[in-house]
Amino acid sequence: MERPRGDTDWMRVALNLAKRGLGTTWPNPSVGCVIVKDGRAVGRGHTQAGGRPHAEIVALAQAGDAAKGATAYVTLEPCSHHGKSPPCTDALIAAGVAKVVVAQSDPNPLVDGMAALKAAGIAVQNGICTQEAAALNAGFTSVITKARPRISLKIATTLDGKIATSTGESRWITGPAARRRVHMMRATHDAVMVGRGTVEADDPMLDIRDMGRLINPVRVVLDSKLRISKDARVVKTARAIPTWIIHRDGTQNSALSDAGCDLLPVPAPKGCIDLHQAMTTLAQKGLTRILCEGGGTLAASLLRANLVDELIVFNAGKMIGADGLSAVAALRLAALKDAPQFGLVHQEQIGADIMTVWTPT
């Protein structure tokens, strides 16, 4: 006989629902909700593409009258303010739910959904699977607390830390299984970011292939002087897949804007793009989660600016040698104590390659 599900079990159902929307719900977080009555789910939902309708609204619509007296499990505190849609707290109250279980409080100071629910006589429990929910909501939280998206830096390298030969050849460092995993990562991020050098060297599409996915992430290119070729694939397909180019203010290129690229000027003291301001600009445009797949120069710039929230490294069993191109350009360190430091949080073999995931310490 199967044991009855408890609060943690149902919240994990809601968390799995939330995962389905990652990369498609920006500027909103991807939230999951399950409505439970008499030990069974009567409604399930997750935030839909574009951020609306919210997870609670989808789940309540599925539950219908069965929501009355039920318990709602929600991965993020229900919204209580009027935005582009009415508050989810109002919908939960109107549906007559008896209890709401929340995984994580909303970092947005405008939200006090639990207080609104309690005032309506609904029992509220907070803190079930908080750590898992916080990981899912990390991009949204970063925008609220840091005014910038969460940035994951992905590097594919040989055992000796090289990403290309001395002639620039880099296809392929890693095997097909690792490359497929990268496409899966793109699917859970709002945007993929590279520098102009990567566009010139590899002419990538930066899209999602062979995943049954219809929504591609935004493509962000850092190009200080707007010198990217109008024949680059990311430019030629800009009307089909959004392409945003960050450049220093005062620079113009009508050919790129005419092709459908969105040009985003930011300050460039000393001739270099202010990366902190660039990330704030992207947050203001709605992005919450960015996967950076740039080369060594962009990787070094992000590390020097302390903007890397997660480092994902794919290591292939190859050696290129000292004449190869390093995964990270010069960091200009005077002492070892000044080196960026990361702690290992995950390790996995993918095909013939090893993936490690690190977070700053």
Side-chain angles (χ1 to χ4, degrees):
M1 182 177 177
E2 184 178 353
R3 69 173 178 85
R5 287 182 172 180
D7 288 341
T8 299
D9 300 310
W10 285 119
M11 187 59 77
R12 285 183 175 148
V13 173
L15 288 165
N16 284 330
L17 288 167
K19 291 176 184 178
R20 298 180 184 181
L22 285 175
T24 69
T25 65
W26 61 277
N28 290 345
S30 182
V31 176
C33 176
V34 57
I35 311 293
V36 178
K37 189 172 186 179
D38 297 329
R40 68 182 186 90
V42 294
R44 304 169 190 251
H46 62 86
T47 311
Q48 298 299 289
R52 291 182 305 278
H54 291 182
E56 298 94 323
I57 305 304
V58 176
L60 287 170
Q62 189 180 104
D65 293 340
K68 187 174 180 62
T71 297
Y73 293 85
V74 190
T75 59
L76 185 66
E77 180 178 5
C79 62
S80 58
H81 63 288
H82 285 267
K84 293 184 178 179
S85 56
C88 289
T89 50
D90 287 0
L92 289 164
I93 294 167
V97 300
K99 182 178 180 180
V100 176
V101 181
V102 176
Q104 182 190 9
S105 301
D106 196 312
N108 188 337
L110 294 175
V111 175
D112 195 1
M114 287 186 283
L117 294 170
K118 290 176 183 177
I122 296 174
V124 176
Q125 182 179 355
N126 186 21
I128 302 296
C129 299
T130 300
Q131 187 173 352
E132 296 96 317
L136 282 174
N137 298 321
F140 178 69
T141 299
S142 179
V143 170
I144 298 295
T145 61
K146 301 179 182 179
R148 67 166 178 84
R150 182 177 189 270
I151 299 174
S152 296
L153 173 61
K154 188 275 295 181
I155 297 173
T157 174
T158 59
L159 292 176
D160 54 344
K162 306 300 179 182
I163 59 173
T165 66
S166 59
T167 62
E169 182 183 356
S170 61
R171 294 186 177 178
W172 296 99
I173 293 290
T174 54
R179 297 197 296 273
R180 182 172 176 81
R181 176 61 68 90
V182 172
H183 282 271
M184 292 174 64
M185 290 178 180
R186 290 178 183 175
T188 62
H189 287 76
D190 308 340
V192 177
M193 182 170 69
V194 298
R196 179 177 60 86
T198 295
V199 174
E200 289 183 342
D202 300 335
D203 195 20
M205 271 293 288
L206 303 177
D207 59 350
I208 300 170
R209 295 184 292 277
D210 303 324
M211 298 293 296
R213 169 77 176 269
L214 298 178
I215 302 176
N216 281 292
V218 174
R219 301 175 299 193
V220 176
V221 180
L222 275 71
D223 181 8
S224 177
K225 298 180 181 179
L226 289 178
R227 292 184 295 182
I228 182 175
S229 170
K230 62 182 177 58
D231 294 321
R233 292 201 293 169
V234 292
V235 174
K236 291 195 293 185
T237 58
R239 298 195 185 280
I241 304 175
T243 301
W244 300 355
I245 304 179
I246 296 176
H247 62 96
R248 67 185 190 185
D249 49 9
T251 307
Q252 297 180 344
N253 187 326
S254 59
L256 296 178
S257 54
D258 289 345
C261 297
D262 195 351
L263 306 186
L264 307 178
V266 297
K270 301 179 182 177
C272 298
I273 290 173
D274 184 330
L275 282 178
H276 287 276
Q277 184 57 53
M279 296 306 108
T280 297
T281 298
L282 293 176
Q284 292 169 344
K285 291 275 287 181
L287 299 184
T288 67
R289 294 164 55 90
I290 297 177
L291 179 65
C292 178
E293 297 188 40
T297 300
L298 180 54
S301 297
L302 290 170
L303 288 166
R304 284 198 301 267
N306 196 30
L307 286 171
V308 176
D309 300 299
E310 180 182 54
L311 177 62
I312 305 167
V313 182
F314 290 87
N315 285 120
K318 299 181 175 75
M319 302 284 276
I320 288 180
D323 57 342
L325 184 63
S326 294
V328 180
L331 290 177
R332 301 193 290 270
L333 298 176
L336 187 59
K337 66 179 178 60
D338 298 324
Q341 297 187 43
F342 294 84
L344 180 66
V345 295
H346 179 73
Q347 180 171 311
E348 180 181 351
Q349 181 168 347
I350 302 177
D353 307 310
I354 298 295
M355 180 186 77
T356 52
V357 181
W358 309 74
T359 54
T361 59

